[in-house]
Amino acid sequence: MKLKWSVSACLQLQYIKKRQYWGSDLHLPTMAFEEVLHSDESAYKWLVTLKKVGIMLLTGAATRQGEVLKLGQRIGFLRLTFYGPTWQVQDKVDANNVAYTTEKLSFHTDYPVLQFPPGIQFLHCIKQTPTGGESEVVDGFHVANKLKELNPQAFQILTSTFVDFTDVGVDYCDFSMQSKQRIIDVDEKGQVIRINFNNATRDTIFDVPAEKVKPFYAALKDYVNLLNSADNKYTYKMKPGEIVVFDNWRLLHGRQSYQAGTEISRHLEGAYADWDVVMSRLRILRKNVLSRK
């Protein structure tokens, strides 16, 4: 049995496959949180934009925990990890993760220590520090393509060398995670499909022949330098009530440092979802929206 697609549906499917690459010139797409929750048209636009641009800012959420759970319900469900259904980003005395400090966070993707890292990340600003704490994002696919143009050998090294990642500790439960990932994953056509990079969980063990160690670090240095180039990164400061949603396979994110006080001055609630869940909801929303036209 052959499935029949309408012309408009096919055009919409082609549209969401297109990516819009960006650098410091990013115009951060913004929508109202409540519209996404209650309007199929708005939710569809949200997910299409997320797929195309890789990031979306939602405004007008309440400044309390639990708002990201509503987005999870909107798409289907959130992904449970070793840090819980949701997790609180704030400085702690006994921090078990570098994110739970006031220090600068270098560009990274979350959870490359998992064989299948979460595809989507939500960060809800509940409280913001007066000074510092700016968020930074960079389009890892765009920069990887730049690296391929400028230094094809470095690109080849980062797309073929497996790197060890490890993380051991206790949070939602105790955990001991290990994986091998390529910094830049490509498909059979050589197109970039996922970035796996987090120095905080990159293992001290590097299981490659000795003669390949220096070339790997030289290639990684070139990629990191491009990530941190002023032309490629975008800096913004979240306000209480804003939720940023971004593609954790594509974007690398970081944070500028801020000063610790006697009380917690910055509080974000985070959560994850998988692309399979998001794409399922997007297809359903597309069908619902198109059926009304």
Side-chain angles (χ1 to χ4, degrees), residues 68-94:
V68 289
L69 292 172
K70 297 178 182 178
L71 290 177
Q73 293 170 346
R74 186 64 170 113
I75 62 170
F77 52 87
L78 296 173
R79 177 168 175 179
L80 177 64
T81 70
F82 289 107
Y83 290 96
T86 68
W87 25 272
Q88 311 308 314
V89 183
Q90 54 194 24
D91 54 289
K92 304 174 184 179
V93 176
D94 56 345

Side-chain angles (χ1 to χ4, degrees), residues 198-210:
N198 191 327
N199 266 332
T201 56
R202 188 157 58 89
D203 205 341
T204 53
I205 296 173
F206 190 27
D207 186 20
V208 299

Side-chain angles (χ1 to χ4, degrees), residues 24 68 74 91 123 142 149 152 217 255 293:
S24 60
V68 289
R74 186 64 170 113
D91 54 289
L123 286 173
H142 179 51
E149 292 176 9
Y217 278 107
R255 179 195 69 212
K293 293 184 178 179

